[in-house]
């Protein structure tokens, strides 16, 4: 990876890559807001999980302010969670699907204003499944795939493939960028975990924190392998998300402010 600065980015001449990270992905909006301020439009957007949802909104032409208002509207998890009593997941995707339908309607992934790529994972083979302008499927269906955390959200079946969250294979989709210059926003990067072990009074809190830390470290190391193997010129933004949990959508306003183009 060759590092570049903000001054190296020109509108329409860079790929925007947005990582997964649940509620932490709201920090992407701080970067999107700065892109609007500097009149910088990506030539394409690559997203995984929450990064894919934010990226899809940008790709269809929604301004950052409107995206944030939608996130605030649905910050109450009761609006989009429907518990499942059968199958392999805790949450059914029916409510989320209806929300996506309201936002994107019958728009297909090959009809977005800015070309969009979404990363999912084949849960039977472990292989990456990339949705792009080559696919003639509804944007809603592709989004349900990229965000389907196994065991939490329902797996999706597209073209006989059983698909789930893209973080399992590539949480920061730099390798899928077509352009040489890349703006990559990694909310699960080096600033997403503390460099000390938890030391809370209750052991149960320490155990839960150690589990989430382990997931973040696994994703971080996966991303480092990808970044170290690319020859692309990358401006990497790693928001300081370590004080927030991936499920804390109720803290959307705070998390939004973590992102921005002044970070390194």
């Amino acid at each position: 990876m060759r590092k570049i600065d903000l001054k190296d980015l020109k509108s329409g001449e860079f790929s925007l890559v947005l990582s997964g990270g649940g509620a932490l992905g709201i920090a992407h909006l701080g970067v999107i807001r700065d892109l609007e301020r500097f009149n910088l439009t990506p030539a394409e957007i690559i997203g995984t999980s929450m990064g894919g949802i934010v990226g899809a909104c940008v790709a269809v032409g929604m301004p950052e302010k409107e995206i944030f208002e939608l996130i605030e509207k649905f910050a109450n998890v009761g609006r989009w969670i429907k518990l499942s009593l059968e199958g392999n997941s805790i949450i059914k995707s029916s409510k989320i699907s209806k929300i996506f339908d309201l936002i994107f309607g019958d728009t297909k992934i090959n009809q977005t204003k800015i070309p969009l790529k979404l990363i999912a994972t084949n849960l039977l083979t472990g292989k990456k499944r990339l949705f792009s302008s080559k696919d003639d499927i509804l944007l809603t269906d592709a989004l349900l795939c990229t965000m389907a955390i196994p065991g939490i959200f329902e797996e999706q079946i597209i073209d006989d493939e059983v698909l789930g969250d893209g973080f399992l294979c590539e949480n920061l989709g730099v390798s899928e960028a077509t352009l040489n210059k890349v703006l990559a926003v990694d909310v699960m990067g080096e600033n997403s975990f503390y460099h000390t072990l938890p030391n809370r009074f209750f052991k149960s809190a320490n155990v839960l924190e150690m589990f989430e830390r382990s997931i973040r470290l696994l994703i971080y190391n996966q991303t480092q392998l990808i970044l170290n193997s690319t020859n692309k010129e990358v401006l990497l933004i790693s928001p300081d998300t370590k004080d927030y949990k991936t499920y804390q959508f109720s803290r959307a306003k705070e998390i939004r402010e973590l992102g921005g183009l002044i970070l390194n």
Side-chain angles (χ1 to χ4, degrees):
M1 178 182 74
R2 290 170 288 170
K3 294 183 179 180
I4 57 173
D5 297 319
L6 177 59
K7 66 180 187 307
D8 296 312
L9 298 181
K10 295 181 180 180
S11 191
E13 296 182 9
F14 67 95
S15 298
L16 175 63
V17 180
L18 304 177
S19 77
L24 306 183
I26 299 170
H28 291 313
L29 296 182
V31 176
I32 301 302
R33 183 172 54 192
D34 280 356
L35 288 176
E36 291 178 356
R37 183 159 61 95
F38 291 116
N39 293 315
L40 289 171
T41 302
E44 64 174 359
I45 301 172
I46 301 101
T48 301
S49 201
M50 187 62 182
I53 296 172
V54 172
C57 291
V58 176
V60 298
M62 291 178 63
E64 187 273 340
K65 185 176 183 291
E66 188 175 334
I67 300 171
F68 179 68
E69 288 172 353
L70 275 172
I71 289 174
E72 279 201 312
K73 180 179 178 180
F74 295 105
N76 182 341
V77 295
R79 288 177 174 265
W80 51 270
I81 280 184
K82 182 178 181 181
L83 297 181
S84 175
L85 299 176
E86 56 185 18
N88 302 319
S89 66
I90 298 172
I91 300 170
K92 293 183 69 66
S93 60
S94 56
K95 279 191 175 182
I96 302 171
S97 180
K98 288 180 180 178
I99 292 170
F100 286 161
D101 285 341
L102 285 173
I103 297 170
F104 303 109
D106 58 0
T107 301
K108 295 185 176 181
I109 195 169
N110 57 11
Q111 297 174 327
T112 57
K113 294 180 180 179
I114 300 173
L116 177 68
K117 297 175 182 176
L118 298 173
I119 295 173
T121 304
N122 186 311
L123 296 179
L124 301 184
T125 66
K127 293 182 178 179
K128 183 195 306 183
R129 173 63 158 96
L130 183 70
F131 292 102
S132 69
S133 58
K134 297 178 182 178
D135 295 287
D136 187 38
I137 70 165
L138 290 175
L139 189 48
T140 289
D141 291 338
L143 288 171
L144 289 174
C145 292
T146 190
M147 59 154 285
I149 303 172
I152 305 297
F153 297 106
E154 285 180 298
E155 64 272 16
Q156 303 294 310
I157 300 177
I158 303 288
D159 296 332
D160 296 325
E161 287 187 282
V162 182
L163 301 171
D165 201 303
F167 86 87
L168 293 168
C169 57
E170 191 167 1
N171 196 56
L172 187 69
V174 171
S175 72
E176 297 300 339
T178 304
L179 283 80
N180 190 51
K181 287 185 170 59
V182 178
L183 170 59
V185 188
D186 188 8
V187 300
M188 296 287 276
E190 63 179 350
N191 295 323
S192 70
F193 52 87
Y194 281 99
H195 295 269
T196 57
L197 293 179
N199 189 26
R200 301 181 187 277
F201 180 79
F202 292 106
K203 181 178 180 179
S204 57
N206 291 333
V207 170
L208 290 172
E209 190 167 323
M210 286 296 288
F211 178 75
E212 180 152 349
R213 174 192 296 266
S214 298
I215 299 299
R216 295 192 190 197
L217 288 172
L218 281 169
I219 293 173
Y220 169 72
N221 284 312
Q222 172 209 85
T223 298
Q224 288 305 299
L225 287 173
I226 292 169
L227 288 173
N228 290 334
S229 64
T230 185
N231 291 320
K232 297 185 184 300
E233 299 177 0
V234 180
L235 171 56
L236 179 63
I237 306 293
S238 181
D240 188 359
T241 57
K242 59 180 174 288
D243 288 324
Y244 300 85
K245 304 300 183 185
T246 55
Y247 56 81
Q248 291 180 319
F249 287 91
S250 61
R251 302 181 72 178
K253 188 170 294 185
E254 299 170 50
I255 298 174
R256 177 199 199 187
E257 297 306 316
L258 301 176
L261 289 176
I262 60 171
L263 301 174
N264 292 307

